Amino acid sequence: MTSTARRDRAARRRVVVVGAGVVGASAAARIAERGSDVVLLSAEPAGSTAASRASFAWVNDHGKEPEAYRRLNADGRRRHVERSAAHSIPWFVRTGAEIDGVTYPDDGYVDVAAFLAAQLDDLRRAGGTVRDSTPVASLEQVRVLVGPVDAIVVAAGTGTAAMVAPVAPTVPRLSSSTGDDGFLARIEVGEHPIDRIRSLEGLQVRPDGDGRIAAQSLRIEADLRRAGITASVRTVWPALRDEIEGALGWHLPTGACVRVDHAVRPHAADGSPLLGIVAEDVYVALTHSGVTLAALLGELIARDLDGDADPRLAPFRP
Ligand SMILES: Cc1cc2nc3c(=O)[nH]c(=O)nc-3n(C[C@H](O)[C@H](O)[C@H](O)COP(=O)(O)OP(=O)(O)OC[C@H]3O[C@@H](n4cnc5c(N)ncnc54)[C@H](O)[C@@H]3O)c2cc1C
């Protein structure tokens, strides 16, 4: 190593990102690419999280309020399109969407496994490391595990409030990081007529790769919640099958292979994004629509840590 390289290395900031979901993995990759030493820490195995498996992963800005949040989502879609097209592991699938008969040709969905693989690949290429299957109970434990750090970015989804609230007692929006439980059903159907995202009165269906469709129903979700029942193939599939067949007028093949994943939607207590410093060296990245926003937020968080605050984040500060 030359003396200049040694000096540069010594000057590199050390950052730990807690959470390897779409938000944390994207932020970790971009922070590392800007020259910091990054450790990405995750309770779950890298490459998949409960929320990412259960996500409908529709990249869209429909019905999102206020206007600053809608614009952030629209910009999020643009960054997915651009970054995915330029990557060796593309993840954005542009299908268009149809909501109650109105079409939106620019919409699509994220293949979340591909997106996470691409971010982890970028992170490793930029010299970052991943410590997965490593749950931590507190920020203190993070410091013990990884040693001295210049910044801790907490993108721990539903685990964010428990970890950060003790050091940020003046941020009421951190009183909770859990929203509603939801589910995603993946159904192996062979050939099918679902060529775009369809949203019909709370039922959402989309293609999901080779011979598969994915579906969620806000009505069934609410019924399960009221009854205190967890989503599973047994509790979801009979009603979901009826709902899909009724809405689309299409008979699903008998004996279709079905998988159901469920997860709690992460978001701050007031439902809006929470992005920024909450204590001396602690940065929080917590949001709903995390899939839509992840490609863009990774960039904005990395710039934020360098003191290059983007005005689009101003409405979402702690
Ligand atoms: C049913 C459902 C449907 C959805 N549909 C859409 C949609 O159509 N479009 C859209 O844009 N968004 C959608 N979302 C939201 C989106 O999926 C989430 O916002 C996104 O997946 C959250 O990503 P994240 O990185 O913030 O959190 P997560 O994916 O939950 O990642 C959190 C990470 O933190 C780690 N972690 C947590 N606690 C600890 C701890 N104590 N120690 C160490 N690590 C920890 C976890 O292991 C994980 O790696 C949906 C979500 C659900 C559940």
Side-chain angles (χ1 to χ4, degrees):
M1 200 189 270
T2 66
S3 60
T4 315
R6 252 194 308 273
R7 243 193 342 270
D8 285 354
R9 180 135 191 95
R12 272 160 76 102
R13 223 178 10 180
R14 195 164 152 74
V15 178
V16 57
V17 178
V18 183
V22 287
V23 175
S26 173
R30 303 292 84 76
I31 296 166
E33 285 167 353
R34 290 175 75 93
S36 292
D37 274 333
V38 176
V39 179
L40 178 60
L41 200 65
S42 169
E44 292 163 272
S48 180
T49 70
S52 62
R53 281 190 298 277
S55 184
F56 191 67
W58 180 1
V59 175
N60 74 92
D61 65 343
H62 310 299
K64 299 196 177 175
E65 292 176 340
E67 176 59 14
Y69 181 55
R70 191 204 61 74
R71 277 202 308 270
L72 198 68
N73 279 264
D75 290 350
R77 179 178 50 215
R78 270 190 286 281
R79 290 312 281 145
H80 270 306
V81 172
E82 291 156 1
R83 291 201 78 98
S84 171
H87 206 284
S88 59
I89 311 174
W91 59 80
F92 180 75
V93 187
R94 180 178 161 171
T95 55
E98 185 179 328
I99 307 174
D100 298 327
V102 182
T103 56
Y104 300 89
D106 295 335
D107 281 9
Y109 70 93
V110 163
D111 175 340
V112 182
F115 179 75
L116 288 174
Q119 308 317 302
L120 295 174
D121 197 44
D122 290 349
L123 172 65
R124 290 185 175 114
R125 281 173 198 275
T129 52
V130 179
R131 290 183 70 168
D132 63 352
S133 306
T134 307
V136 282
S138 66
L139 294 171
E140 271 323 299
Q141 198 186 344
V142 173
R143 294 181 208 280
V144 171
L145 262 179
V146 298
V149 288
D150 299 294
I152 303 178
V153 176
V154 183
T158 56
T160 301
M163 200 173 303
V164 181
V167 301
T170 57
V171 184
R173 295 165 66 205
L174 271 176
S175 60
S176 154
S177 46
T178 52
D180 285 338
D181 201 2
F183 72 84
L184 185 74
R186 290 189 173 82
I187 310 151
E188 305 271 356
V189 288
E191 275 190 36
H192 62 79
I194 312 298
D195 60 355
R196 75 201 88 155
I197 296 165
R198 301 285 306 273
S199 177
L200 304 120
E201 294 172 3
L203 172 70
Q204 296 175 338
V205 186
R206 63 163 169 81
D208 191 47
D210 280 350
R212 220 170 32 238
I213 61 170
Q216 68 173 8
S217 158
L218 303 183
R219 188 186 59 77
I220 296 172
E221 245 182 48
D223 287 349
L224 293 177
R225 206 173 300 129
R226 265 192 301 274
I229 295 170
T230 304
S232 67
V233 174
R234 189 178 58 78
T235 58
V236 161
W237 180 228
L240 184 63
R241 176 185 197 113
D242 285 352
E243 207 173 322
I244 295 172
E245 292 190 346
L248 299 178
W250 167 54
H251 286 286
L252 287 155
T254 43
C257 186
V258 184
R259 172 193 167 122
V260 171
D261 288 292
H262 72 94
V264 172
R265 295 174 169 88
H267 60 69
D270 67 349
S272 63
L274 179 52
L275 295 149
I277 300 276
V278 292
E280 200 188 347
D281 58 355
V282 182
Y283 188 106
V284 165
L286 174 63
T287 184
H288 182 47
S289 294
V291 169
T292 299
L293 296 171
L296 174 67
L297 282 188
E299 297 171 4
L300 300 188
I301 293 165
R303 283 177 43 205
D304 228 10
L305 287 186
D306 285 345
D308 177 17
D310 189 289
R312 285 172 291 184
L313 294 184
F316 311 115
R317 296 305 192 186

